[in-house]
Structure formats: structure tokens, C-alpha cells
Amino acid sequence: MPTIRLRQRLRDGQIGLFTTFALVMLAAVLTIGLVLGLSFRGEASQRGLAEGRSEARLMEQTAVGPIFDAIPLSQGMSVSEISDMNRLVTTSVRSGNILRLRLRDLAGNVVFSNDGTGLRHPVNNDNRDEIARAAAGLMVARLTTLDADNRTGPRGPAVVEVYMPLVAGLSNHRVGVLEVYLPYAPIRSEVQAGLSRLYRYLAMGLGGLYVLLFAISYIVGRRLRKQVKITAYVGEHDVLTDLPNRTLFQRQAEAILSQGRRVGRRTIVAIVDLDRFKEINDTLGHDNGDALLVSLSTVMRSYLPSSCALARLGGDEFGVVFTEDVGVDEFLGGLRDALAAEVLVSGIPISVESSIGYAASPDDGEGINDILPQAEIGCTQQRSGTRASRGTPLIRITSSRPTLR
């Protein structure tokens, strides 16, 4: 039961860790998407301004500029120039290409306005810099609303407000400033249509990136968890026999000892030593000796119930821990007889004697560190043929089987 709970906690911990990593990765992908989205939105605004500048430049070069001679607007407009401008602006406003158009002289004074705004008014501080830069030969554009400089009245629709130099004549002489307000709605619709497509592609790309990262992290995490399990297993088991090693054996023994105390039964810790095993190694070789250890480990696994703990403590020494349900001598004698049965190693029948010593809890101690040394001493005394003195908890189990055939 403790092992099951431990595995469940480990499994829950792994799931929680993987979920946390997946959420962190999702947050990172969403943050990237948000940053890119804001960047695209900013670039969309710049694209809208670029579209407005392009339309204003085209209007100045093909429609407004050819109307004028190389005479500065500060000297006034001729009747024909005013007539041509009214006709041009009326057509453009009716078709929705522009919302307002003004012509200024290089000092910034309005000399023409399709709706009469700005005439005979001083230059507004809100657009003084833009007018000055346009008079100097630069183009300035910004996103705003119509009548944005009107402090009291309502504001109009969104527009691209463009200030640019007006050139005329064969020498492209700068004669004034063109101030034009282009409707932003058509430009915005076109930009937003492209932006919507871009957002869809971005969402698909980020979704694919998240799935890819999720799959990679899952595969790598799974392999790492598998490797961690393998490493932990190897660190607690004997490589040759696949039995628990001394470290894991002590933990298992402590668990069985605790269970024995809870149910009020004695717990037996036994040491099994294979007699004259060195002679087998020297005679048949270490490969056959290893094969014999594997076979005898299988024999002990088959004999012992699943409630027992069995481990290879080193060399030819094994440890056994169990709760006393039957007679100890009878149970360990059966284990000795099972080990003495012939096994085939490379076609050679071999029978092995074993020495077994044990100690019991709570008679001989409470913890595994108290009991295990006594069992080892008992095993050593039994192998050397000496009996325990009266009152000691060491048991000698004799064997009449031959060692090697």
C-alpha cells in the first residue's frame, strides 16, 4: 500500500509538473502573439498613413499642380484657377475621395478652401509645425478627425490629414502648401482586411508552434521520465539478478518490520549465503557462476511468497525478510532444500549448499540496523560449523546436501 501511494504521488506530481509547463508555454505563446499583434496594429496605422500620403501625392501631381503656374499663391489665385479648383474639389468630394481641401501660401495663410473654413484666419498653433515643414518641402501626414482643432463643435469622421508642398510650372517651383483631408474609413477597411488575414495566419502559426512545442516537450519529458525511472531502478536493484540491492532491501525490511509491529507478529530477517561458491567460480568460470546466481535467484523468488522481501546483498549473499506465519525453521529449511535442488548451468547439473542465519523482531531488536548484523553473524557461525551460545538469538541451520556435482 505505501508503494502504491508513492507511485500515485509521483504520477500526480509528474502530471502537475507537465500541466504547469504546458500552461507556462501557452502563456509564452500568447504573449508572443499579443506582442506581434500590437506590432502589426502599429504597422497597420503606418500603412494607413502611407496610403494617405500616396493618394495625396498622386492628387497633387496629376490634378492640383497642373492647374497653377509658377506664381506663388501669396499673390492670389486667378479666376480660372479658382474655377478649376472648385470643379475638381466638387467632383472629388462628391465621389468621396476627399473630405476637405485647402490651399495655403508659403506663410501658411489659407487662400482656398472648398468649404470656406480657415479663410481669413491666422495659422492655428495645432498645425503650425506641419505647415512650416510642408512649406519647406516635406510631406507630413497624421491620423486625426475632421475638425479636430474645433474646441467647441463636434468632431467629424476619421481622416488622414496630409500637408505637402504644392509645386507648379515646368520648373516645379514651390508655390504653396496643399492641405487635404482624405477619408480614413476606406483605407482602414482595406488595412483591416489585410490585418484580419494576417491575424488568422498568426493564430494558425502560433497554434501550430504551440502544438509542436507541446509534442516536443511531451516526447522529451516522457523519455526523461522513463530514463529517470530506469536510473532509479538501476540504483536500487542488482544488475545481474534484478533483485533489490542492499539499499532498497533495508527500506523494504523497515516497512515489513513496521507492519509486523502493527499486527503484533514477529518479523524474521534472514541471511542466505551460498557455501563454497568461490570454488564454483574457479572451476566453471565467472560466466557460469553468474548464470548460477541468476538461476538460484529465480528459485528463491518461486519459493518465497510475494509478501516477503528478497534481495542480493552482495556476492553470494542474499537477504530475506518476512512476517512469521509458519514455523521459522520449517520455512527456512524449505528454502534451503529448494536451493539445494539441482540446476543446469551450461549443461552441467549443480547442487549448492546454503548457510542461513536469522534474527527476529521484536525479540532481537526493533530496526533493521539492529537485527541484520545479528542475522549475518548467525549465518557466519552456521557456515563455520559453530553453534550459538545459549541465550543468543542466532539460529544454525544445517544441511546434508553435497555442494557440487
Side-chain angles (χ1 to χ4, degrees):
M1 184 64 69
T3 302
I4 295 176
R5 287 198 297 268
L6 177 60
R7 289 178 179 173
Q8 184 64 42
R9 285 198 297 269
L10 290 175
R11 189 179 300 111
D12 293 343
Q14 292 170 358
I15 293 174
L17 181 62
F18 184 76
T19 302
T20 301
F21 179 75
L23 292 176
V24 170
M25 189 168 58
L26 178 61
V29 171
L30 291 177
T31 301
I32 293 173
L34 179 61
V35 172
L36 290 177
L38 293 176
S39 176
F40 291 156
R41 183 176 293 277
E43 291 186 6
S45 299
Q46 294 301 319
R47 181 182 171 188
L49 290 174
E51 290 282 347
R53 283 192 289 264
S54 298
E55 292 184 15
R57 182 179 291 109
L58 181 63
M59 177 182 295
E60 188 273 337
Q61 292 176 350
T62 61
V64 179
I67 294 176
F68 296 91
D69 296 325
I71 301 175
L73 294 182
S74 59
Q75 298 181 17
M77 296 174 57
S78 66
V79 174
S80 62
E81 289 172 342
I82 295 174
S83 176
D84 291 341
M85 283 300 302
N86 283 328
R87 186 166 51 252
L88 171 65
V89 173
T90 301
T91 303
S92 299
V93 171
R94 186 180 297 118
S95 62
N97 293 328
I98 65 172
L99 295 178
R100 177 179 295 164
L101 186 145
R102 293 171 180 164
L103 296 178
R104 297 176 181 265
D105 60 22
L106 294 176
N109 300 309
V110 178
V111 298
F112 175 84
S113 175
N114 71 297
D115 56 3
T117 58
L119 291 171
R120 294 179 296 277
H121 284 81
V123 178
N124 194 315
N125 289 330
D126 291 339
N127 54 8
R128 183 184 300 273
D129 291 339
E130 287 82 359
I131 295 170
R133 293 173 65 186
L138 300 176
M139 177 183 285
V140 181
R142 63 182 181 180
L143 293 177
T144 181
T145 58
L146 197 63
D147 296 324
D149 54 353
N150 189 344
R151 306 295 184 183
T152 58
R155 293 190 176 188
V159 295
V160 179
E161 183 180 2
V162 181
Y163 297 85
M164 63 179 298
L166 176 62
V167 296
L170 297 176
S171 60
N172 290 329
H173 184 69
R174 193 181 308 145
V175 298
V177 173
L178 171 63
E179 177 184 347
V180 61
Y181 295 82
L182 305 171
Y184 183 59
I187 299 175
R188 180 170 54 195
S189 298
E190 182 181 351
V191 171
Q192 286 184 343
L195 195 61
S196 297
R197 289 193 299 270
L198 189 60
Y199 282 155
R200 286 197 298 270
Y201 297 149
L202 176 63
M204 292 170 59
L206 291 176
L209 175 64
Y210 177 74
V211 171
L212 178 62
L213 292 176
F214 187 88
I216 292 174
S217 64
Y218 177 78
I219 294 172
V220 172
R222 187 175 182 180
R223 290 181 179 177
L224 287 176
R225 289 192 298 272
K226 183 177 180 180
Q227 187 60 45
V228 168
K229 290 180 180 179
I230 292 174
T231 302
Y233 185 86
V234 170
E236 295 179 338
H237 289 77
D238 176 58
V239 177
L240 177 64
T241 62
D242 201 33
L243 291 175
N245 59 17
R246 182 179 290 269
T247 301
L248 180 57
F249 173 74
Q250 289 184 325
R251 291 207 304 269
Q252 292 176 338
E254 287 290 359
I256 296 176
L257 286 167
S258 298
Q259 183 180 7
R261 286 192 292 269
R262 285 196 302 270
V263 299
R265 291 183 180 178
R266 288 204 315 166
T267 301
I268 308 301
V269 178
I271 298 297
V272 179
D273 190 89
L274 305 180
D275 296 340
R276 300 174 63 189
F277 184 76
K278 184 177 182 302
E279 296 179 16
I280 298 175
N281 270 335
D282 294 341
T283 304
L284 301 180
H286 288 278
D287 290 342
N288 286 323
D290 290 345
L292 178 60
L293 286 175
V294 172
S295 297
L296 294 178
S297 298
T298 303
V299 169
M300 285 188 281
R301 275 199 187 102
S302 301
Y303 176 80
L304 296 173
S306 60
S307 59
C308 293
L310 171 65
R312 184 186 179 194
L313 304 182
D316 57 0
E317 184 178 271
F318 297 84
V320 180
V321 180
F322 59 93
T323 302
E324 184 180 18
D325 294 321
V326 296
V328 178
D329 291 345
E330 178 183 355
F331 182 77
L332 294 179
L335 176 60
R336 177 205 60 194
D337 293 339
L339 290 171
E342 287 184 350
V343 294
L344 290 177
V345 177
S346 298
I348 303 173
I350 300 177
S351 178
V352 178
E353 288 185 349
S354 60
S355 300
I356 303 177
Y358 72 87
S361 172
D363 301 340
D364 307 317
E366 294 291 336
I368 185 64
N369 293 328
D370 299 327
I371 302 173
L372 187 60
Q374 299 185 57
E376 289 175 338
I377 294 173
C379 181
T380 301
Q381 290 183 348
Q382 195 240 325
R383 185 171 59 247
S384 62
T386 62
R387 292 185 175 273
S389 60
R390 183 176 180 82
T392 62
L394 306 175
I395 305 299
R396 178 180 176 218
I397 304 175
T398 59
S399 174
S400 58
R401 299 276 181 171
T403 301
L404 179 64
R405 293 182 182 177

